[in-house]
């Protein structure tokens, strides 16, 4: 009965606290019923209960994964089932350590195992990583700001560590006070770290995203010319003072013949409004076809950034270079699912990154917040202009300055003054050191479970 109650409670909390539209506070509570159960029942029951709770709790995302255009169904099944297996293993490790009287190690090793496993997935998965515990906290700047030191892995760890520390403290044994002390120390450190930063210089940025699904319209066609003119008209109506406007990913398809006409049309409105225009293009070049961000300034030659990460798209080549102008960088959509190129921009001191994007409606909020976390990690503000998603402007401390949901209107327009970040965060300089630390903690926990069962464990089970 205890196992059933814990499974149902965690499943409900996971359902509402994680996924594509989470209630962030519930994410901290979701693992707690299972972790409270773990030291008090047989290990097999822990594994089964944790697996069932996580899998059932992810039911809100099943339809998205099954019908996703960017995630093949075998990969979708692997994500859903693999995440449930990983949570079960983390809970099993916690229970085994807590039963043996290693409460402090249990509170550290379980979230460490979860975190380092996701880190490995982020290195191996061709579509990167999004939608995990760290994403649930993306609208809580006071929490997310720790990512500037630890990367998003610190947030991922913390959301699971808090319930693990509480559960360890409530487990009978000699070390019940230690996790509470550690939890208080981390809370105090976070309070110090969340001191508001000094004001920075800013620029007014606008995002323009269409209400309908328009992907790579050939500029050479009549439909393409009409679309170009519609964007030009929208730019002409922007408020005074806008210095940069960002359009979505693959708004247009161009080649060597048609590219000059697009550049000419955007350059004309850029000169008239004295602003930079950034748009996503599918650019067919002699070197191959690239998904790119094209920046057209009021004067001078256009600048092109080529997307680094195209998933399993066989017809697109990956770019390899950063592209910066006037302290501003360029990326495209899926690039934010990976550590690079974001870390390269942060290490270079880039204060603002402009990102044409395109989502699948359901994952619009989650993907925009993945971009926000990359900005916090690396010290730059983010301009995320997403079709079929959530266009968003956010500063380098994780505050959402303005956002909107596309659909309903022909165009969604988002405008805000965006401060430049300082770049060069500890994470940008030192990389995924915290994920490696989690690997060491997880290994220590696993090694401790291999020892002979202690007398304390026998007493607790009895």
């Amino acid at each position: 009965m205890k196992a059933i109650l814990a499974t149902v409670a965690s499943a409900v909390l996971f359902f509402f606290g994680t996924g594509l539209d989470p209630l962030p506070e519930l994410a901290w509570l979701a693992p707690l019923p299972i972790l409270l159960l773990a030291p008090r029942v047989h290990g097999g029951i822990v594994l089964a209960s944790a697996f069932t709770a996580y899998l059932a709790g992810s039911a809100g995302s099943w339809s998205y994964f099954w019908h996703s255009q960017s995630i093949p169904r075998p990969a979708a099944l692997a994500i859903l089932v693999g995440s449930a297996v990983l949570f079960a293993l983390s809970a099993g490790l916690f229970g085994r350590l807590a039963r043996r009287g290693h409460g402090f190690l249990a509170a550290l090793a379980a979230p460490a195992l979860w975190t380092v496993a996701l880190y490995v997935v982020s290195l191996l998965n061709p579509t990167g990583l999004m939608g995990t515990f760290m994403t649930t906290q993306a609208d809580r700047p006071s929490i997310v700001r720790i990512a500037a030191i630890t990367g998003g892995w610190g947030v991922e760890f913390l959301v699971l560590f808090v319930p693990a520390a509480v559960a360890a403290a409530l487990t009978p044994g000699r070390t019940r006070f230690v996790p509470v002390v550690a939890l208080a120390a981390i809370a105090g450190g976070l309070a110090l770290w969340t001191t508001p930063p000094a004001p920075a210089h800013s620029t007014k940025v606008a995002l323009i995203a269409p209400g309908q699904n328009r992907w790579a319209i050939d500029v050479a066609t009549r439909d393409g010319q009409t679309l170009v003119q519609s964007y030009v008209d929208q730019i002409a109506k922007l408020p005074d003072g806008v210095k940069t406007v960002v359009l979505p990913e693959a708004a247009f398809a161009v080649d060597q013949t048609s590219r000059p006409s697009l550049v000419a049309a955007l350059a004309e409105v850029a000169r008239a409004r004295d602003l930079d225009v950034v748009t996503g293009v599918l650019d067919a070049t002699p070197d191959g076809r690239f998904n790119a961000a094209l920046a057209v300034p009021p004067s001078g030659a256009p600048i092109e950034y080529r997307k680094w990460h195209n998933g399993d798209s066989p017809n697109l080549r990956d770019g390899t270079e950063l592209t910066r102008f006037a302290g501003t960088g360029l990326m495209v959509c899926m690039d934010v699912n990976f550590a690079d190129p974001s870390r390269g921009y942060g290490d270079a001191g880039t204060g603002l990154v402009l990102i044409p994007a395109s989502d699948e409606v359901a994952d619009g909020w989650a993907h925009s917040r993945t971009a926000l976390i990359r900005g916090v990690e690396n010290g730059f503000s983010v301009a995320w202009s997403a079709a079929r998603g959530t266009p968003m402007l956010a500063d380098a401390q994780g505050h959402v300055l303005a956002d909107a949901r596309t659909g309903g209107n022909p165009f969604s327009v988002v405008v805000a003054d965006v401060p430049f970040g300082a770049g060069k965060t500890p994470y940008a300089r030192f990389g995924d050191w915290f994920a490696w630390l989690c690997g060491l903690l997880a290994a220590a926990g696993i090694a401790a479970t291999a020892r002979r069962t202690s007398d304390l464990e026998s007493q607790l089970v009895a």
Side-chain angles (χ1 to χ4, degrees):
M1 182 58 67
K2 287 190 293 185
I4 293 172
L5 291 175
T7 301
V8 171
S10 272
V12 171
L13 291 168
F14 274 125
F15 184 86
F16 291 104
T18 62
L20 301 172
D21 190 18
L23 297 173
E25 287 73 22
L26 296 186
W28 303 80
L29 297 174
L32 184 58
I34 292 294
L35 295 177
L36 287 171
L37 174 74
R40 294 168 170 84
V41 297
H42 187 274
I45 296 177
V46 176
L47 295 175
S49 298
F51 176 86
T52 303
Y54 195 94
L55 188 62
S58 66
S61 302
W62 290 357
S63 177
Y64 161 72
F65 278 109
W66 194 248
H67 299 289
S68 174
Q69 299 171 7
S70 59
I71 305 175
R73 286 184 176 177
L77 287 172
I79 291 170
L80 291 169
V81 176
S83 298
V85 168
L86 178 57
F87 180 65
L89 293 175
S90 299
L93 178 62
F94 174 87
R96 193 174 178 93
L97 287 170
R99 283 196 301 273
R100 297 187 177 193
H102 303 306
F104 185 44
L105 183 57
L108 292 172
L113 176 61
W114 170 271
T115 302
V116 73
L118 290 183
Y119 171 64
V120 173
V121 170
S122 75
L123 299 178
L124 301 178
N125 187 0
T127 59
L129 191 70
M130 61 173 279
T132 61
F133 282 142
M134 71 176 85
T135 312
T136 68
Q137 305 305 306
D139 283 342
R140 299 294 181 266
S142 58
I143 301 298
V144 173
R145 283 191 60 210
I146 195 177
I149 299 175
T150 63
W153 309 118
V155 182
E156 195 74 34
F157 175 90
L158 190 62
V159 175
L160 192 52
F161 170 74
V162 169
V166 172
L170 295 176
T171 299
R174 296 166 297 186
T175 58
R176 64 171 63 192
F177 70 94
V178 178
V180 177
V181 173
L183 183 58
I186 290 177
L190 278 176
L192 292 175
W193 173 244
T194 53
T195 303
H201 69 285
S202 62
T203 185
K204 185 170 283 189
V205 180
L207 312 174
I208 300 176
Q212 9 175 277
N213 181 14
R214 307 296 298 271
W215 177 266
I217 306 301
D218 189 349
V219 170
T221 65
R222 178 172 296 182
D223 191 23
Q225 294 170 7
T226 300
L227 184 60
V228 171
Q229 186 58 50
S230 67
Y231 275 115
V232 168
D233 293 342
Q234 289 295 318
I235 294 170
K237 293 189 288 187
L238 290 173
D240 293 338
V242 172
K243 290 301 180 184
T244 304
V245 57
V246 188
L247 312 184
E249 178 184 14
F252 308 103
V254 297
D255 57 22
Q256 287 183 297
T257 303
S258 62
R259 191 176 190 269
S261 66
L262 175 63
V263 170
L266 298 182
E268 182 177 355
V269 72
R271 285 192 297 270
R273 295 302 310 270
D274 188 28
L275 49 71
D276 298 309
V277 180
V278 176
T279 183
V281 295
L282 287 190
D283 193 358
T285 75
D287 297 328
R289 200 163 182 243
F290 294 91
N291 189 336
L294 179 67
V296 181
S299 61
I303 302 164
E304 185 171 288
Y305 163 87
R306 292 172 172 176
K307 186 177 180 181
W308 285 29
H309 303 283
N310 289 288
D312 56 359
S313 300
N315 299 322
L316 294 173
R317 292 192 59 189
D318 294 336
T320 57
E321 297 181 1
L322 303 178
T323 302
R324 302 173 70 230
F325 64 100
T328 300
L330 297 173
M331 290 197 296
V332 177
C333 202
M334 194 187 290
D335 286 337
V336 302
N337 295 12
F338 300 82
D340 287 316
S342 296
R343 196 158 65 212
Y345 282 122
D347 195 41
T350 308
L352 171 64
V353 174
L354 314 173
I355 312 174
S358 182
D359 291 318
E360 300 183 35
V361 181
D363 66 353
W365 178 88
H367 209 185
S368 71
R369 270 44 180 187
T370 302
L372 177 150
I373 291 170
R374 291 299 179 212
V376 175
E377 285 180 335
N378 298 288
F380 55 72
S381 297
V382 172
W384 174 264
S385 187
R388 301 184 299 160
T390 305
M392 177 203 69
L393 295 166
D395 69 15
Q397 283 72 49
H399 299 96
V400 176
L401 306 173
D403 67 354
R405 297 286 181 115
T406 59
N409 297 315
F411 289 94
S412 296
V413 179
V414 177
V415 182
D417 289 314
V418 181
F420 278 74
K424 295 185 179 296
T425 62
Y427 174 77
R429 294 177 179 177
F430 303 115
D432 295 314
W433 65 272
F434 188 81
W436 285 90
L437 175 61
C438 285
L440 293 176
L441 290 172
I446 294 169
T449 65
R451 298 173 187 169
R452 187 176 178 180
T453 303
S454 67
D455 293 339
L456 177 59
E457 181 187 18
S458 300
Q459 295 170 8
L460 289 174
V461 172

